[in-house]
Amino acid sequence: MKHNVVKVIQHELIAQAGITPKQCIEWVRESFMMKYEAQLPAKISLRPQGDDFFNTMPCILPKRYNRYGVKVVHRIKGQTPLLGSDILLYDSSNGRLLALLNGDWITTMRTGAVAALAIKTLKAKGVTTYSFVGLGNTARATAMCLLADNADCEVKFRLLRYKDQAEAFVDRFKTVPNAHFEIVDDIKELVAGAQVIVSCVTSANDLFCDDDALFRPGVLLVPVHTRGFQNCDLFFDKIYGDDTAHLHGFKYFARFKYFNELSRVLLGTDSGRDNDDQRIISYNIGLSLHDIVFAHHIYEALGQQAPSMQQVIEDKKFWV
């Protein structure tokens, strides 16, 4: 009997593979475009304690891919990184397990790429300034994708100061010639001057800003981790999401003025932004569809280089 060779594709191999932010944007676009052909049940979320969670996210890609995958992502307070994830990739035509992939790089980059694609799709015309709340790895991935997608124009980042994160963010991108920065100390100042607001804060117990008038006409709000701006659900003109099942449990879902999925805009069956005065929210909670498309492409590109599960187990470094 021929044994199944399961590959282990670790973080270092993925991170060093030269996958560009531009490629990541193309992969998430590919994912959104196939959404209604894929089998994509709602993720299961379990909480061991407090704000900690384990999310289990399965997906079967359209038949032309012959791929099934499941991602487990967790957030455990005090751990580094705060968010961690693993992906199992199968051949859906025969049930063979193909690979175990570390999901940390995939999670970060697909999240940043989705945010950048949503911004490109839904922002008002001529917008080149992006205001950020929360400046960790997800914000940096989003900035990388925005810069890659706007390489031919000047881009300004307005950053809310928190500890030394804003200065570290500036330092990370200081060599990018078309990137410019402004650091502000007050959330109301950030919101009042914002054309696009990207929130990458993973935990917030209170609203960041409860003054509706501060949100200027035409603003696009992208709350990557959905915290701190829930009041905007009541007065923004349009709300888009990556999946209806992710949002129907939101407190104000029944009171949204307008809702549709981002895939409908990309497929051309929804108009998206109708004018430059509309205030729009894009909730992108995270689809396993994105992760499994990334895992599929990475397996195709790196599978031959990756060690087998047996080799990893026999490697003494594995046990250190």
Side-chain angles (χ1 to χ4, degrees), residues 41-190:
K43 64 186 174 185
I44 300 169
S45 186
L46 301 175
R47 293 184 177 273
Q49 60 272 322
D51 287 335
D52 294 349
F53 62 79
F54 284 90
N55 290 340
T56 303
M57 306 165 62
C59 178
I60 296 180
L61 301 186
K63 188 170 179 57
R64 60 186 178 274
Y65 290 86
N66 285 329
R67 293 289 182 264
Y68 166 78
V70 60
K71 174 184 173 183
V72 177
V73 57
H74 53 79
R75 179 192 186 277
I76 306 296
K77 184 178 180 180
Q79 298 302 302
T80 303
L82 185 63
L83 290 170
S85 60
D86 304 286
I87 298 170
L88 291 173
L89 185 68
Y90 293 81
D91 184 327
S92 60
S93 69
N94 56 29
R96 288 179 54 226
L97 176 61
L98 300 174
L100 167 64
L101 300 92
N102 179 281
D104 293 349
W105 185 94
I106 293 173
T107 299
T108 300
M109 289 307 301
R110 66 85 156 143
T111 303
V114 168
L117 180 61
I119 291 168
K120 180 178 182 178
T121 305
L122 298 172
K123 70 179 182 178
K125 293 177 182 176
V127 168
T128 59
T129 299
Y130 309 99
S131 300
F132 275 76
V133 181
L135 299 172
N137 287 336
T138 300
R140 294 182 184 199
T142 303
M144 289 168 60
C145 292
L146 286 171
L147 288 166
D149 206 41
N150 294 275
D152 57 348
C153 65
E154 301 299 305
V155 175
K156 182 178 180 180
F157 295 100
R158 301 179 73 242
L159 312 173
L160 181 65
R161 191 188 304 277
Y162 178 72
K163 298 181 179 179
D164 62 349
Q165 288 187 354
E167 290 79 7
F169 189 98
V170 173
D171 188 64
R172 166 64 179 81
F173 294 101
K174 65 183 180 182
T175 60
V176 181
N178 64 321
H180 307 279
F181 307 92
E182 176 188 359
I183 299 175
V184 301
D185 294 302
D186 181 73
I187 184 66
K188 290 186 177 181
E189 179 186 355
L190 186 84

Side-chain angles (χ1 to χ4, degrees), residues 7-303:
K7 295 291 189 172
V8 178
I9 305 180
Q10 296 166 312
H11 173 83
E12 292 76 11
L13 184 61
I14 299 172
Q16 296 170 12
I19 303 168
T20 66
K22 194 78 170 177
Q23 181 66 78
C24 291
I25 296 172
E26 290 305 311
W27 285 349
V28 296
R29 180 185 291 276
E30 177 186 358
S31 305
F32 277 122
M33 298 294 281
M34 72 172 75
K35 182 176 188 291
Y36 305 112
E37 301 176 75
Q39 295 184 48
L40 186 64
K43 64 186 174 185
I44 300 169
S45 186
L46 301 175
R47 293 184 177 273
Q49 60 272 322
D51 287 335
D52 294 349
F53 62 79
F54 284 90
N55 290 340
T56 303
M57 306 165 62
C59 178
I60 296 180
L61 301 186
K63 188 170 179 57
R64 60 186 178 274
Y65 290 86
N66 285 329
R67 293 289 182 264
Y68 166 78
V70 60
K71 174 184 173 183
V72 177
V73 57
H74 53 79
R75 179 192 186 277
I76 306 296
K77 184 178 180 180
Q79 298 302 302
T80 303
L82 185 63
L83 290 170
S85 60
D86 304 286
I87 298 170
L88 291 173
L89 185 68
Y90 293 81
D91 184 327
S92 60
S93 69
N94 56 29
R96 288 179 54 226
L97 176 61
L98 300 174
L100 167 64
L101 300 92
N102 179 281
D104 293 349
W105 185 94
I106 293 173
T107 299
T108 300
M109 289 307 301
R110 66 85 156 143
T111 303
V114 168
L117 180 61
I119 291 168
K120 180 178 182 178
T121 305
L122 298 172
K123 70 179 182 178
K125 293 177 182 176
V127 168
T128 59
T129 299
Y130 309 99
S131 300
F132 275 76
V133 181
L135 299 172
N137 287 336
T138 300
R140 294 182 184 199
T142 303
M144 289 168 60
C145 292
L146 286 171
L147 288 166
D149 206 41
N150 294 275
D152 57 348
C153 65
E154 301 299 305
V155 175
K156 182 178 180 180
F157 295 100
R158 301 179 73 242
L159 312 173
L160 181 65
R161 191 188 304 277
Y162 178 72
K163 298 181 179 179
D164 62 349
Q165 288 187 354
E167 290 79 7
F169 189 98
V170 173
D171 188 64
R172 166 64 179 81
F173 294 101
K174 65 183 180 182
T175 60
V176 181
N178 64 321
H180 307 279
F181 307 92
E182 176 188 359
I183 299 175
V184 301
D185 294 302
D186 181 73
I187 184 66
K188 290 186 177 181
E189 179 186 355
L190 186 84
V191 168
Q195 299 170 311
V196 172
I197 304 169
V198 182
S199 173
C200 297
V201 175
T202 58
S203 181
N205 296 321
D206 300 313
L207 295 175
F208 288 127
C209 182
D210 58 7
D211 188 345
D212 302 353
L214 289 175
F215 294 87
R216 63 193 288 175
V219 68
L220 170 65
L221 173 61
V222 184
V224 175
H225 296 297
T226 75
R227 306 298 185 93
F229 290 98
Q230 296 93 318
N231 55 318
C232 298
D233 294 353
L234 295 172
F235 61 88
F236 270 51
D237 301 296
K238 282 189 168 185
I239 298 178
Y240 290 93
D242 53 12
D243 189 74
T244 304
H246 285 161
L247 275 71
H248 71 79
F250 278 25
K251 180 178 180 180
Y252 300 120
F253 183 78
R255 298 168 65 183
F256 288 177
K257 292 183 177 181
Y258 179 91
F259 173 75
N260 209 342
E261 295 187 351
L262 182 61
S263 289
R264 298 295 185 189
V265 182
L266 294 169
L267 287 166
T269 59
D270 183 282
S271 61
R273 177 176 289 278
D274 296 313
N275 60 68
D276 286 344
D277 288 330
Q278 283 182 325
R279 293 187 288 189
I280 297 176
I281 302 174
S282 183
Y283 281 121
N284 305 300
I285 311 300
L287 298 178
S288 60
L289 176 61
H290 304 314
D291 300 299
I292 305 312
V293 167
F294 270 55
H296 162 70
H297 285 301
I298 289 170
Y299 173 76
E300 293 294 310
L302 303 178

